[in-house]
Amino acid sequence: MSPALPVLPRSRTILALAAAALTAAPLAVTAPARAADTVTDGTNGTYTVTPLRFTVQAGGRTCAVDADLYRPDGVDADHPAPAVLATNGFGGSKNDGSTDAIGKAVAARGYVGLVYSGLGFGKSGCLISLDDPRVDGQAAARLVDFLAGSRAADDGTRVDFVTKDGANDPRIGMIGGSYGGAIQLATAATDPRLDALVPLITWNDLAHSLAPNSADRATPGVFKWQWANGFYLMGEGQPLLVPSLDPSRINSLDCLHFVSNACDTVRLLNSGSYPRAETDKMLAFARSVSPVSYLDRVKAPTLLVQGQADSLFTLNEAQDTYEKLQRQGVETKMIWQSWGHSGGQRPGELDLGSGDLENSYVGRRVLAWFDRHLRGDRTTDTGAEFAYHRTWQSGYGTAAAVPPLNHKLYLSGDGKLVDNRAEVTRGSRTYANWLVPTSHSESSLAGLIGLPDPTPYDIAGTYLGWSSAPLTAPADLVGAPRATLKVVSPRTERVQGSGDAADKLVLFAKLYDVAPDGTKTLVNRLVAPVRVPDVTRPFTVELPGIVHRYETGHRLEFVIAASDTAYFGNRGVKPVTVVSAPEDTGTLELPLVQGHIG
């Protein structure tokens, strides 16, 4: 075993799955490397592509940045054009199908494009620092200097053909997905010269993304071991996948390619033990490289695009970013498209790899965003404040804001969901976890390594469910449901104050759609992991945001389960009882935009 890999509690499973993921790019298929000469591509418009290299200072290191400059035909000092900056998703490079396609797409539409490999990826140097504004943001700011004409590439190339808003201030936007999405916010927090952002399927709080706690973000969450270890091993394998003698890409034998804090975070999460001091350090680091810690410095107009099928970065993360930017007066709009890290591509939806922007709703919104904020066309309509893809109806739904929670159901002691507290039946029910996972939602690595992903399931006795009556008409949910629960768990109560968060109770909340024939569908395979702060007190769970229609005759089922195969679970067996009474019972609140459930 490589010395870079920690010994993990499920090491054989993790390494077998995640090592296979090393050969797969997370967002796109890598395209062949381009020749080092200037080329002309007239597929959609005429432009030249020039490979460039930059040497920048970032995070106390000297880093090489590998980039391609896309210059539309006819753009020169007398006829300047705005610029668009983009970089790759995690594990990719400037030559990925989707990243490369961004450069082609914007150049074909008259923008100067600068597409580069992020630090630690492709032929760019330095360590993977998780889009840290103090490192990755600083490196990107030096590329903004280049587009402003105030610095040259390593070969002496300068540009004087980018539209400017003032001395050393180019008109510039950014676009990209996932790792290439968060870097936009990190750069904007570092460099106020950015004029427009389009982050796709990215995070708000990496601490919550990798170890979510949907009840209390001050309490350490539940380790999302598949996603986290897959990306960790993909990152550690970079020196092998992309051989480089650049010493700035090597950290140490026990942490090859990441900054040390990132490796320490993964090791702590895999340890299964979360003492307060170590956990506080982990949370502080993860949040320091997350928009949640620096959004107050972002001023650039931002069009957020998030995926409904995404168990890595849920819709909730985009909504958190959206609401924060809105509160501080930043022009911000949000789209919930179909696809994310968990798949979900639908016909007619945006396909970054094709470069075809005009023929999808999201693509047209992106073009309008750049037309208004980069071309300066104030007559351009940038679309609705909030839009969401609907699988049951053509086109997108729109609203002035994310729909509020407006429909309350009560958890009855007989396993029913009722819409009147007086209908709650008095009673109690109990489940218990096993020492192995007994519920399944999604295998995040299955698609990467070509294995089938089993249908979601829960084993009897290890979960509780509450079901609505069959619907008499369709009901549409748009947003993040919320449950308020109180559980009884004496075994947890005895140990939860140990000082190690691993002794607290873990459970998973989720929503099923149950068809008349009994077939159950876990909506987008999403779950809400919870490490209960204190089992002696009620707690509130924010479920993942969804856009879903419950058809006539179907039932909504709310489930709390003891475990999930994609996450670490409870330490020891901890039976759980839920008591219901008309005067004191759990509730489920829904963002209902059409119909009735009850």
Side-chain angles (χ1 to χ4, degrees):
M1 181 180 294
S2 164
L5 305 180
V7 178
L8 309 178
R10 305 179 188 182
S11 58
R12 291 185 180 180
T13 303
I14 292 171
L15 294 177
L17 292 173
L22 292 177
T23 61
L27 293 179
V29 177
T30 301
R34 208 175 7 254
D37 298 324
T38 300
V39 298
T40 301
D41 183 341
T43 305
N44 298 304
T46 303
Y47 50 87
T48 58
V49 185
T50 306
L52 296 172
R53 176 187 171 94
F54 300 88
T55 300
V56 302
Q57 298 296 318
R61 291 188 178 224
T62 300
C63 309
V65 176
D66 186 35
D68 285 333
L69 176 66
Y70 292 75
R71 179 178 178 177
D73 188 43
V75 171
D76 55 31
D78 294 326
H79 306 89
V84 174
L85 184 64
T87 189
N88 50 276
F90 193 93
S93 74
K94 69 172 187 178
N95 295 321
D96 284 348
S98 57
T99 311
D100 180 68
I102 290 173
K104 294 177 179 178
V106 298
R109 290 159 181 83
Y111 294 98
V112 176
L114 186 61
V115 175
Y116 70 101
S117 297
L119 299 185
F121 296 107
K123 294 182 180 180
S124 289
C126 280
L127 304 175
I128 299 172
S129 46
L130 303 180
D131 282 342
D132 189 331
R134 298 159 296 188
V135 184
D136 305 85
Q138 286 288 347
R142 303 292 71 80
L143 301 184
V144 176
D145 291 339
F146 169 75
L147 293 169
S150 61
R151 70 166 293 162
D154 288 0
D155 65 359
T157 299
R158 288 184 179 270
V159 301
D160 60 358
F161 44 78
V162 173
T163 305
K164 290 186 180 180
D165 293 318
N168 199 35
D169 186 2
R171 185 86 55 80
I172 182 171
M174 291 188 76
I175 184 173
S178 193
Y179 202 73
I183 184 58
Q184 300 173 49
L185 297 164
T187 305
T190 303
D191 193 330
R193 293 174 293 179
L194 294 188
D195 298 287
L197 310 178
V198 186
L200 294 91
I201 60 171
T202 197
W203 68 89
N204 170 269
D205 180 355
L206 203 56
H208 182 72
S209 306
L210 301 182
N213 188 351
S214 299
D216 176 13
R217 296 201 183 182
T219 301
V222 186
F223 182 36
K224 195 183 290 184
W225 72 270
Q226 290 185 3
W227 275 120
N229 282 306
F231 282 118
Y232 170 71
L233 292 172
M234 190 181 295
E236 286 294 71
Q238 284 296 303
L240 301 176
L241 296 174
V242 188
S244 171
L245 297 178
D246 183 347
S248 72
R249 294 189 61 164
I250 304 298
N251 186 355
S252 64
L253 287 178
D254 67 344
C255 186
L256 277 177
H257 203 50
F258 286 89
V259 294
S260 297
N261 280 337
C263 293
D264 292 344
T265 293
V266 172
R267 291 193 184 98
L268 177 64
L269 289 170
N270 274 303
S271 74
S273 181
Y274 312 117
R276 181 63 181 269
E278 290 88 340
T279 301
D280 285 350
K281 179 182 176 182
M282 173 196 73
L283 294 175
F285 165 70
R287 287 177 178 144
S288 75
V289 296
S290 298
V292 68
S293 72
Y294 56 73
L295 276 175
D296 58 340
R297 306 199 303 271
V298 174
K299 308 301 179 187
T302 302
L303 176 63
L304 291 160
V305 182
Q306 203 77 348
Q308 296 173 34
D310 202 322
S311 63
L312 179 60
F313 306 136
T314 64
L315 297 175
N316 309 49
E317 299 229 37
Q319 186 170 347
D320 288 344
T321 298
Y322 171 80
E323 291 176 350
K324 170 65 174 175
L325 291 176
Q326 285 268 335
R327 285 194 300 270
Q328 63 195 43
V330 176
E331 183 179 349
T332 312
K333 295 186 177 183
M334 182 167 63
I335 302 172
W336 288 355
Q337 65 180 15
S338 64
W339 60 266
H341 289 86
S342 304
Q345 182 76 48
R346 301 279 181 172
E349 283 277 76
L350 173 68
D351 179 2
L352 279 179
S354 72
D356 182 1
L357 300 179
E358 284 84 0
N359 291 316
S360 68
Y361 174 82
V362 175
R364 291 191 294 272
R365 290 287 301 270
V366 171
L367 291 175
W369 198 253
F370 283 163
D371 280 348
R372 183 175 181 87
H373 297 293
L374 299 184
R375 295 197 193 279
D377 184 355
R378 309 308 293 179
T379 66
T380 300
D381 182 2
T382 58
E385 291 293 315
F386 171 60
Y388 52 94
H389 181 268
R390 300 170 294 194
T391 58
W392 64 90
Q393 185 175 344
S394 62
Y396 272 69
T398 62
V402 178
L405 297 169
N406 57 9
H407 188 68
K408 182 178 286 189
L409 299 173
Y410 300 90
L411 280 56
S412 182
D414 55 4
K416 294 180 180 179
L417 282 174
V418 296
D419 59 2
N420 187 332
R421 184 184 291 274
E423 296 176 2
V424 171
T425 298
R426 193 179 303 275
S428 65
R429 296 188 296 156
T430 299
Y431 73 81
N433 65 292
W434 298 355
L435 294 180
V436 295
T438 54
S439 291
H440 176 73
S441 57
E442 176 197 53
S443 172
S444 60
L445 296 175
L448 286 176
I449 60 180
L451 294 178
D453 194 357
T455 301
Y457 62 81
D458 302 287
I459 293 178
T462 66
Y463 76 98
L464 296 176
W466 292 263
S467 295
S468 71
L471 273 62
T472 58
D476 300 342
L477 299 186
V478 179
R482 184 173 66 196
T484 299
L485 303 169
K486 185 175 181 181
V487 299
V488 178
S489 180
R491 289 191 188 177
T492 304
E493 189 175 347
R494 288 195 293 268
V495 299
Q496 67 179 6
S498 69
D500 187 337
D503 287 324
K504 295 181 181 292
L505 177 68
V506 169
L507 58 83
F508 299 83
K510 47 194 171 181
L511 292 183
Y512 282 99
D513 182 331
V514 185
D517 65 0
T519 302
K520 298 172 68 172
T521 300
L522 179 59
V523 181
N524 282 325
R525 293 180 175 253
L526 296 172
V527 300
V530 174
R531 193 179 299 277
V532 180
D534 182 350
V535 295
T536 67
R537 299 174 180 272
F539 56 96
T540 298
V541 180
E542 182 183 66
L543 277 75
I546 59 172
V547 178
H548 185 73
R549 166 166 285 186
Y550 288 83
E551 297 287 358
T552 301
H554 288 228
R555 292 178 289 123
L556 180 151
E557 183 182 27
F558 172 67
V559 165
I560 58 172
S563 62
D564 190 278
T565 56
Y567 298 82
F568 278 13
N570 286 289
R571 182 153 71 183
V573 176
K574 296 183 171 77
V576 172
T577 299
V578 178
V579 179
S580 297
E583 67 276 9
D584 184 17
T585 189
T587 61
L588 176 65
E589 296 176 86
L590 303 172
L592 196 62
V593 298
Q594 175 181 298
H596 179 83
I597 297 175

